[in-house]
Amino acid sequence: MQAGEIRKLAHQARVGPGVCLLDLCCGVAGPGRMITAESGCHYLGVDCSASALATAQGLAGNLPCRFEQAHLPPLPSGRFEVVLLLETMLAFPDKEALVAEVARVLEPGGRFACTVEEGRPLTRQERARMPGADTVWPVELAELTAVLGNAGLTVIWRQEHSSSHHAIATALLRSYRADSLQIADEIGTQATADLITAHQLWSDWLGSGRVRKFAIVAEKQ
């Protein structure tokens, strides 16, 4: 996600001073730290990686950010006005279980702000080509809208970002290919090949419309 896209998503989710925000799969919390610094929200980031959270905590400095290590779902206890999920809806095969947990921890009128890779489930052939295919679970918009609705969440805003994300995936692919020898020295030959293959597929899929990228805000009824 580009910074401007993140800011717009946070604005549409009405993130502001004092708002309690839960950031799922936050990693090193780059977007979360930016949102906290600019909005004055009360931030809790959750991720399964202890090393990523240690980095996030160090980079947060004096920002009012808290971090917890957990595998999701379930979500942490508490009530939140906004739940944020950036770039990782794709990794959850059971969208219903995830969304039900989001709805559970949201206050009435709370907002779920997320990005989603929209498209049909991968075919057997596509899964065979995609490295780490066990974390690649696109979902069609109609199905996701129904899942949200069944959990009591109504989509109030949606914006497509397919073209900008196609451009990013293609630029990364060019860079990874150009620097493949140096990258392989750091992470190994197979990991580098997987990195290039995955970005080739994402570039192809986003460019052809096989997958589309959306930012969505849904409100708890």
Side-chain angles (χ1 to χ4, degrees):
M1 291 286 285
Q2 298 179 11
E5 295 170 348
I6 294 167
R7 288 188 177 101
K8 187 163 189 178
L9 180 61
H11 173 74
Q12 293 295 331
R14 305 195 299 278
V15 178
V19 167
C20 292
L21 184 149
L22 173 63
D23 185 7
L24 305 178
C25 305
C26 66
V28 299
R33 288 182 280 109
M34 182 185 76
I35 291 170
T36 303
E38 295 182 358
S39 72
C41 67
H42 297 311
Y43 175 91
L44 172 60
V46 179
D47 199 272
C48 65
S49 170
S51 60
L53 293 177
T55 299
Q57 188 70 69
L59 292 172
N62 294 324
L63 289 172
C65 296
R66 297 184 297 117
F67 299 96
E68 291 184 11
Q69 184 181 8
H71 288 270
L72 306 176
L75 272 56
S77 59
R79 303 289 278 182
F80 302 90
E81 293 164 84
V82 176
V83 174
L84 182 67
L85 179 66
L86 297 179
E87 310 289 65
T88 36
M89 176 77 78
L90 185 72
F92 290 90
D94 190 343
K95 311 293 195 234
E96 291 186 0
L98 172 67
V99 170
E101 277 291 285
V102 169
R104 179 182 65 80
V105 302
L106 278 175
E107 297 277 5
R111 285 80 63 198
F112 179 36
C114 64
T115 61
V116 60
E117 289 75 17
E118 190 272 343
R120 303 180 310 279
L122 299 189
T123 65
R124 186 187 312 175
Q125 292 79 8
E126 288 170 334
R127 301 197 72 79
R129 293 178 63 200
M130 172 59 77
D134 58 337
T135 62
V136 181
W137 304 96
V139 61
E140 294 183 276
L141 276 183
E143 180 182 350
L144 180 60
T145 301
V147 168
L148 291 165
N150 291 339
L153 302 174
T154 301
V155 175
I156 59 172
W157 178 81
R158 184 179 75 200
Q159 187 167 64
E160 185 171 358
H161 294 294
S162 299
S163 60
S164 63
H165 284 253
H166 173 246
I168 291 169
T170 303
L172 286 170
L173 175 62
R174 285 197 298 266
S175 296
Y176 293 151
R177 280 177 169 163
D179 297 332
S180 60
L181 294 178
Q182 296 94 315
I183 295 171
D185 285 341
E186 296 293 330
I187 66 173
T189 302
Q190 186 58 56
T192 303
D194 288 347
L195 189 68
I196 291 171
T197 298
H199 281 78
Q200 179 67 70
L201 288 170
W202 284 119
S203 178
D204 292 345
W205 291 348
L206 286 162
S208 67
R210 166 65 179 88
V211 173
R212 297 186 296 166
K213 187 64 173 273
F214 285 90
I216 292 174
V217 177
E219 187 170 72
K220 184 173 179 177
Q221 299 171 5

